[in-house]
Structures are given as C-alpha cells and as structure tokens.
Amino acid sequence: MTRIAYVNGKYCDHDLAHVHIEDRGYQFADGVYEVFAVLNKKIVDYDDHLKRLYRSLNEIKVKSPICKDAFLFIIRNLIRKNNVTNGLIYLQVTRGVAERDFKFPKNTKPSLIITSKKTSMDDYFSKFKKGIKVKITDDLRWKRVDIKTLNLLPPVLAKQKAIENGCDEAWMLDSEGFITEGSSSNAWILIKNKLITTPASNSILKGITRLSLIKALKKKKINLVEKKFNINDIKNADEAFITSATQFVMPVVKVDNIKIGKGKIGNYANIFKDAYMEAIQLK
Ligand code: PDD
C-alpha cells in the first residue's frame, strides 16, 4: 500500500508530496512542529503535544490553519491509512508561501503537513537493554529553544558530531558549563537515588515525555530535583537517561569518556521506563 501524507488539506502519495519553493519554512525556518509517538495505534500524550503546538504557534504569531479538533481527525486518519501500529507522527506548520521578504506576509495561509512513519518496539527494547552513548557539544542555539521551531541547524550539527564520534546523542553545554539538553531529547542523571534534570526555562524544550515521566515519578515518590548539572555531576552519576517522543526513556551508559555506573544500564532504568509507560495517556 502507498504511504500517505497530509499536505494542506489533501491526502497524497508520500513520495510525491510537496510544498512550494517559497514556503517560509523552507526559506526562513519560519514555522513550528510536533512529533507524536504512536503506540498500539493510539497517540501518546496527544493533549499535551497539541497544547505545546498552540503555544509554539502563538509565540511566533502564526494562526493555526485548521481548528483544534481537525488535528486529531487527520492524525487518526493517517494512522489508519498507513496502518501504523507503533510509530511517529510528524506535524509541521509554517507561516505559508509568500515572495521572499523577512517581514510577515499579509493574507498568507499557514502551511500544514503531517506525515507518519512506522517504528519497531523490538528495536527500542534492544537499544534500551544496551543503553546509548552521548557526546558533549556546545549549545549553539538561539535564546528561545522553548519554542519548538524548525530552526534546527545547531542540533543537526550537534547530532552529526555525536554520530561521527560513535555516539547516539549529543548533550549540549551552555556558556557556564551546564548541560541544557540533548540535541533532540531532555537529559537526566541519577546521583545516589536522586534524579536530576535541567529545569524548564527558555533554554530547553519542555519535553512532553519529560513531563509525563515527572508526573509518573511523583506518584512513585522518587526523589526528583529540577536543577542544572555539569560534567562533574555526570562523573558522580550512577545512571543517566534521555527522554523524547522518539526514544521514550532511554538509558545512557557513557558520556564522552565517562562511564556511567559500570558502563551498563542500571537498576532504575526499567523502573523509570515502566513508570513512564504506565503514566502515558493514549488517544
Ligand atoms: N525532539 N529537547 C529537544 C531539543 C527536542 O528536540 C526534543 C524532541 C525534546 C523532547 O521533547 P518530547 O519529549 O516532547 O519529544 C527535548 C523531537 C522528538 C524531534 O525533534 O524529533
């Protein structure tokens, strides 16, 4: 069966789907996006992702091209049409198509594309068992990374550096030597039963997976602190993790040359993953 994408009101063949060369997303990264996980044909934490999408749109002053209920309808259609059991939904809204000019165009309709992709939970679980390696890089991003914009060149370069160094993810350092977050995930360390993650501010994306894990761990009375951490803290960490819609909770076993714990996933990895999986809302 052909893979189907949604582009500005139409369902079309994914391979032939296209937007105009003067779409402002293409020329200025003038748009925002969301990534939703799909588990068992259901959307994970849909309401929180949609809320963040509307916040991002509001911050960049773009009006939603469709009404709120229509998003759920289209995403469900795509899951069905593409027979996605487990996978990801990518949703992007840009300011629309207009002759290239920095100022906002007048009377331009925002563009909306939504795509879906299948992923394998077996792949996730086998990656989870081994854990991932992380490379430290500088955080070269702008000052409003709390908005989920298309402006992704710094994280692209950070991730590529990680890959070239045999790692799976980059943890980015701010000018004071604190880890802000991963190139496409939030960062966590565990020191002596205390779980630490960077506090939400304009300097990190407030991950929906992060939010769900925090809610889940509060119920389980896990000792959690939202505070900045640096490389010295990582050296003292017994375990480390990343969270994102694409990786759920994923243990980290090495950061640069620092082995976390014994270089193998620790006891809390499964506890946190299971708590997260229990806490998610499926729609
Ligand atoms: N990225 N921080 C950054 C910089 C991210 O890009 C992401 C997600 C997260 C985690 O957010 P969430 O838990 O809501 O997925 C944190 C998505 C998955 C991406 O760009 O592909």
Side-chain angles (χ1 to χ4, degrees), residues 89-116:
I89 296 291
Y90 177 79
L91 184 160
Q92 176 180 301
V93 182
T94 72
R95 204 177 303 278
V97 176
E99 190 171 302
R100 188 174 184 279
D101 188 349
F102 281 73
K103 66 178 185 286
F104 293 177
K106 286 196 179 114
N107 309 320
T108 295
K109 198 172 164 9
S111 305
L112 169 64
I113 63 147
I114 310 181
T115 58
S116 71

mmCIF file of all heavy atoms in Angstrom, residues 89-116:
data_model
loop_
_atom_site.group_PDB
_atom_site.id
_atom_site.type_symbol
_atom_site.label_atom_id
_atom_site.label_comp_id
_atom_site.label_asym_id
_atom_site.label_seq_id
_atom_site.Cartn_x
_atom_site.Cartn_y
_atom_site.Cartn_z
ATOM 1 N N ILE A 89 4.302 10.427 14.414
ATOM 2 C CA ILE A 89 3.599 11.402 13.579
ATOM 3 C C ILE A 89 4.434 12.669 13.603
ATOM 4 O O ILE A 89 4.816 13.146 14.677
ATOM 5 C CB ILE A 89 2.195 11.711 14.151
ATOM 6 C CG1 ILE A 89 1.290 10.472 14.138
ATOM 7 C CG2 ILE A 89 1.545 12.874 13.417
ATOM 8 C CD1 ILE A 89 0.868 9.988 12.776
ATOM 9 N N TYR A 90 4.741 13.210 12.424
ATOM 10 C CA TYR A 90 5.442 14.482 12.322
ATOM 11 C C TYR A 90 4.440 15.511 11.806
ATOM 12 O O TYR A 90 3.796 15.290 10.768
ATOM 13 C CB TYR A 90 6.642 14.364 11.360
ATOM 14 C CG TYR A 90 7.347 15.690 11.175
ATOM 15 C CD1 TYR A 90 8.224 16.165 12.136
ATOM 16 C CD2 TYR A 90 7.092 16.492 10.059
ATOM 17 C CE1 TYR A 90 8.837 17.403 11.997
ATOM 18 C CE2 TYR A 90 7.701 17.722 9.907
ATOM 19 C CZ TYR A 90 8.577 18.174 10.877
ATOM 20 O OH TYR A 90 9.173 19.398 10.737
ATOM 21 N N LEU A 91 4.339 16.647 12.505
ATOM 22 C CA LEU A 91 3.360 17.678 12.130
ATOM 23 C C LEU A 91 4.086 19.021 12.062
ATOM 24 O O LEU A 91 4.804 19.377 13.005
ATOM 25 C CB LEU A 91 2.266 17.701 13.201
ATOM 26 C CG LEU A 91 1.066 18.608 13.038
ATOM 27 C CD1 LEU A 91 -0.072 18.118 13.915
ATOM 28 C CD2 LEU A 91 1.360 20.055 13.345
ATOM 29 N N GLN A 92 3.940 19.725 10.960
ATOM 30 C CA GLN A 92 4.666 20.987 10.775
ATOM 31 C C GLN A 92 3.735 22.086 10.266
ATOM 32 O O GLN A 92 2.981 21.871 9.323
ATOM 33 C CB GLN A 92 5.785 20.741 9.762
ATOM 34 C CG GLN A 92 6.571 21.965 9.386
ATOM 35 C CD GLN A 92 7.668 21.630 8.387
ATOM 36 O OE1 GLN A 92 8.538 20.819 8.647
ATOM 37 N NE2 GLN A 92 7.615 22.254 7.230
ATOM 38 N N VAL A 93 3.799 23.227 10.919
ATOM 39 C CA VAL A 93 3.031 24.392 10.454
ATOM 40 C C VAL A 93 4.019 25.507 10.152
ATOM 41 O O VAL A 93 4.865 25.831 11.002
ATOM 42 C CB VAL A 93 2.044 24.902 11.533
ATOM 43 C CG1 VAL A 93 1.232 26.074 11.001
ATOM 44 C CG2 VAL A 93 1.115 23.793 12.008
ATOM 45 N N THR A 94 3.942 26.084 8.958
ATOM 46 C CA THR A 94 4.793 27.240 8.650
ATOM 47 C C THR A 94 3.911 28.463 8.377
ATOM 48 O O THR A 94 2.692 28.343 8.244
ATOM 49 C CB THR A 94 5.687 27.005 7.412
ATOM 50 O OG1 THR A 94 4.851 27.038 6.239
ATOM 51 C CG2 THR A 94 6.416 25.679 7.495
ATOM 52 N N ARG A 95 4.573 29.624 8.280
ATOM 53 C CA ARG A 95 3.810 30.851 8.048
ATOM 54 C C ARG A 95 3.202 30.870 6.642
ATOM 55 O O ARG A 95 2.404 31.730 6.329
ATOM 56 C CB ARG A 95 4.706 32.076 8.283
ATOM 57 C CG ARG A 95 3.923 33.339 8.627
ATOM 58 C CD ARG A 95 4.834 34.521 8.924
ATOM 59 N NE ARG A 95 5.764 34.259 10.002
ATOM 60 C CZ ARG A 95 5.463 34.362 11.297
ATOM 61 N NH1 ARG A 95 4.275 34.752 11.672
ATOM 62 N NH2 ARG A 95 6.367 34.077 12.221
ATOM 63 N N GLY A 96 3.590 29.939 5.793
ATOM 64 C CA GLY A 96 2.957 29.810 4.477
ATOM 65 C C GLY A 96 3.861 30.230 3.338
ATOM 66 O O GLY A 96 5.063 30.457 3.524
ATOM 67 N N VAL A 97 3.268 30.331 2.153
ATOM 68 C CA VAL A 97 4.024 30.627 0.933
ATOM 69 C C VAL A 97 3.888 32.109 0.600
ATOM 70 O O VAL A 97 2.778 32.638 0.545
ATOM 71 C CB VAL A 97 3.485 29.774 -0.245
ATOM 72 C CG1 VAL A 97 4.193 30.125 -1.547
ATOM 73 C CG2 VAL A 97 3.621 28.292 0.066
ATOM 74 N N ALA A 98 5.020 32.771 0.401
ATOM 75 C CA ALA A 98 4.995 34.189 0.034
ATOM 76 C C ALA A 98 6.333 34.538 -0.608
ATOM 77 O O ALA A 98 7.344 33.880 -0.336
ATOM 78 C CB ALA A 98 4.783 35.050 1.274
ATOM 79 N N GLU A 99 6.341 35.578 -1.422
ATOM 80 C CA GLU A 99 7.592 36.046 -2.016
ATOM 81 C C GLU A 99 8.594 36.336 -0.886
ATOM 82 O O GLU A 99 8.224 36.892 0.152
ATOM 83 C CB GLU A 99 7.316 37.330 -2.791
ATOM 84 C CG GLU A 99 8.474 37.753 -3.636
ATOM 85 C CD GLU A 99 8.067 38.901 -4.552
ATOM 86 O OE1 GLU A 99 7.124 38.732 -5.346
ATOM 87 O OE2 GLU A 99 8.686 39.967 -4.441
ATOM 88 N N ARG A 100 9.856 35.971 -1.094
ATOM 89 C CA ARG A 100 10.835 36.053 -0.005
ATOM 90 C C ARG A 100 11.010 37.482 0.504
ATOM 91 O O ARG A 100 11.398 38.380 -0.257
ATOM 92 C CB ARG A 100 12.192 35.482 -0.455
ATOM 93 C CG ARG A 100 13.184 35.373 0.702
ATOM 94 C CD ARG A 100 14.462 34.687 0.278
ATOM 95 N NE ARG A 100 15.354 34.516 1.430
ATOM 96 C CZ ARG A 100 16.141 35.479 1.913
ATOM 97 N NH1 ARG A 100 16.191 36.660 1.324
ATOM 98 N NH2 ARG A 100 16.897 35.254 2.975
ATOM 99 N N ASP A 101 10.691 37.695 1.765
ATOM 100 C CA ASP A 101 10.781 39.001 2.404
ATOM 101 C C ASP A 101 10.738 38.730 3.906
ATOM 102 O O ASP A 101 9.886 37.962 4.356
ATOM 103 C CB ASP A 101 9.569 39.851 1.972
ATOM 104 C CG ASP A 101 9.683 41.292 2.439
ATOM 105 O OD1 ASP A 101 10.586 41.583 3.266
ATOM 106 O OD2 ASP A 101 8.873 42.117 1.998
ATOM 107 N N PHE A 102 11.654 39.326 4.683
ATOM 108 C CA PHE A 102 11.736 38.952 6.097
ATOM 109 C C PHE A 102 10.453 39.245 6.859
ATOM 110 O O PHE A 102 10.048 38.469 7.718
ATOM 111 C CB PHE A 102 12.929 39.653 6.768
ATOM 112 C CG PHE A 102 14.240 38.974 6.458
ATOM 113 C CD1 PHE A 102 14.814 39.091 5.202
ATOM 114 C CD2 PHE A 102 14.883 38.200 7.408
ATOM 115 C CE1 PHE A 102 16.009 38.451 4.897
ATOM 116 C CE2 PHE A 102 16.080 37.556 7.121
ATOM 117 C CZ PHE A 102 16.647 37.680 5.857
ATOM 118 N N LYS A 103 9.826 40.409 6.547
ATOM 119 C CA LYS A 103 8.636 40.757 7.350
ATOM 120 C C LYS A 103 7.496 39.764 7.077
ATOM 121 O O LYS A 103 7.503 39.092 6.040
ATOM 122 C CB LYS A 103 8.199 42.192 7.081
ATOM 123 C CG LYS A 103 7.686 42.477 5.686
ATOM 124 C CD LYS A 103 7.241 43.932 5.589
ATOM 125 C CE LYS A 103 6.596 44.277 4.261
ATOM 126 N NZ LYS A 103 7.537 44.384 3.134
ATOM 127 N N PHE A 104 6.547 39.676 8.048
ATOM 128 C CA PHE A 104 5.435 38.738 7.882
ATOM 129 C C PHE A 104 4.655 39.112 6.619
ATOM 130 O O PHE A 104 4.352 40.292 6.404
ATOM 131 C CB PHE A 104 4.450 38.818 9.067
ATOM 132 C CG PHE A 104 4.993 38.342 10.395
ATOM 133 C CD1 PHE A 104 4.191 38.439 11.534
ATOM 134 C CD2 PHE A 104 6.255 37.784 10.527
ATOM 135 C CE1 PHE A 104 4.648 38.003 12.777
ATOM 136 C CE2 PHE A 104 6.725 37.342 11.770
ATOM 137 C CZ PHE A 104 5.915 37.459 12.889
ATOM 138 N N PRO A 105 4.278 38.133 5.806
ATOM 139 C CA PRO A 105 3.439 38.444 4.642
ATOM 140 C C PRO A 105 2.000 38.710 5.097
ATOM 141 O O PRO A 105 1.592 38.235 6.159
ATOM 142 C CB PRO A 105 3.507 37.157 3.816
ATOM 143 C CG PRO A 105 3.805 36.086 4.791
ATOM 144 C CD PRO A 105 4.596 36.700 5.914
ATOM 145 N N LYS A 106 1.255 39.456 4.269
ATOM 146 C CA LYS A 106 -0.159 39.703 4.607
ATOM 147 C C LYS A 106 -1.019 38.680 3.879
ATOM 148 O O LYS A 106 -0.689 38.283 2.765
ATOM 149 C CB LYS A 106 -0.549 41.121 4.160
ATOM 150 C CG LYS A 106 0.031 42.168 5.068
ATOM 151 C CD LYS A 106 -0.652 43.527 4.888
ATOM 152 C CE LYS A 106 -0.037 44.526 5.845
ATOM 153 N NZ LYS A 106 0.688 45.594 5.159
ATOM 154 N N ASN A 107 -2.099 38.273 4.488
ATOM 155 C CA ASN A 107 -3.095 37.377 3.865
ATOM 156 C C ASN A 107 -2.510 36.066 3.359
ATOM 157 O O ASN A 107 -2.922 35.573 2.309
ATOM 158 C CB ASN A 107 -3.806 38.085 2.689
ATOM 159 C CG ASN A 107 -4.338 39.431 3.100
ATOM 160 O OD1 ASN A 107 -4.861 39.571 4.211
ATOM 161 N ND2 ASN A 107 -4.181 40.414 2.239
ATOM 162 N N THR A 108 -1.508 35.554 4.046
ATOM 163 C CA THR A 108 -0.948 34.258 3.641
ATOM 164 C C THR A 108 -1.489 33.176 4.578
ATOM 165 O O THR A 108 -1.497 33.357 5.785
ATOM 166 C CB THR A 108 0.590 34.308 3.718
ATOM 167 O OG1 THR A 108 1.023 35.244 2.753
ATOM 168 C CG2 THR A 108 1.213 32.961 3.428
ATOM 169 N N LYS A 109 -1.923 32.074 3.966
ATOM 170 C CA LYS A 109 -2.457 30.979 4.790
ATOM 171 C C LYS A 109 -1.305 30.100 5.260
ATOM 172 O O LYS A 109 -0.455 29.705 4.451
ATOM 173 C CB LYS A 109 -3.431 30.153 3.938
ATOM 174 C CG LYS A 109 -4.362 29.287 4.744
ATOM 175 C CD LYS A 109 -5.409 28.663 3.829
ATOM 176 C CE LYS A 109 -6.174 27.493 4.382
ATOM 177 N NZ LYS A 109 -6.127 27.071 5.702
ATOM 178 N N PRO A 110 -1.229 29.806 6.547
ATOM 179 C CA PRO A 110 -0.161 28.915 7.023
ATOM 180 C C PRO A 110 -0.225 27.540 6.341
ATOM 181 O O PRO A 110 -1.305 27.078 5.972
ATOM 182 C CB PRO A 110 -0.454 28.780 8.520
ATOM 183 C CG PRO A 110 -1.285 29.951 8.857
ATOM 184 C CD PRO A 110 -2.081 30.284 7.647
ATOM 185 N N SER A 111 0.938 26.940 6.150
ATOM 186 C CA SER A 111 1.002 25.599 5.541
ATOM 187 C C SER A 111 1.001 24.550 6.639
ATOM 188 O O SER A 111 1.626 24.739 7.686
ATOM 189 C CB SER A 111 2.299 25.407 4.754
ATOM 190 O OG SER A 111 2.469 26.408 3.798
ATOM 191 N N LEU A 112 0.353 23.435 6.350
ATOM 192 C CA LEU A 112 0.331 22.316 7.311
ATOM 193 C C LEU A 112 0.668 21.020 6.597
ATOM 194 O O LEU A 112 0.058 20.694 5.570
ATOM 195 C CB LEU A 112 -1.069 22.201 7.935
ATOM 196 C CG LEU A 112 -1.343 20.943 8.765
ATOM 197 C CD1 LEU A 112 -0.456 20.878 9.999
ATOM 198 C CD2 LEU A 112 -2.822 20.894 9.185
ATOM 199 N N ILE A 113 1.679 20.336 7.100
ATOM 200 C CA ILE A 113 1.934 18.982 6.603
ATOM 201 C C ILE A 113 1.950 18.031 7.804
ATOM 202 O O ILE A 113 2.396 18.401 8.891
ATOM 203 C CB ILE A 113 3.267 18.865 5.824
ATOM 204 C CG1 ILE A 113 4.472 19.176 6.725
ATOM 205 C CG2 ILE A 113 3.300 19.757 4.599
ATOM 206 C CD1 ILE A 113 5.676 18.372 6.364
ATOM 207 N N ILE A 114 1.447 16.826 7.577
ATOM 208 C CA ILE A 114 1.509 15.791 8.617
ATOM 209 C C ILE A 114 1.926 14.484 7.943
ATOM 210 O O ILE A 114 1.374 14.111 6.895
ATOM 211 C CB ILE A 114 0.150 15.614 9.338
ATOM 212 C CG1 ILE A 114 -0.413 16.962 9.803
ATOM 213 C CG2 ILE A 114 0.299 14.669 10.520
ATOM 214 C CD1 ILE A 114 -1.748 16.877 10.538
ATOM 215 N N THR A 115 2.938 13.842 8.504
ATOM 216 C CA THR A 115 3.383 12.557 7.950
ATOM 217 C C THR A 115 3.424 11.522 9.073
ATOM 218 O O THR A 115 3.430 11.871 10.256
ATOM 219 C CB THR A 115 4.792 12.668 7.325
ATOM 220 O OG1 THR A 115 5.706 13.114 8.332
ATOM 221 C CG2 THR A 115 4.830 13.628 6.155
ATOM 222 N N SER A 116 3.471 10.280 8.676
ATOM 223 C CA SER A 116 3.580 9.221 9.682
ATOM 224 C C SER A 116 4.681 8.255 9.277
ATOM 225 O O SER A 116 5.048 8.186 8.097
ATOM 226 C CB SER A 116 2.260 8.468 9.807
ATOM 227 O OG SER A 116 2.049 7.677 8.665
#
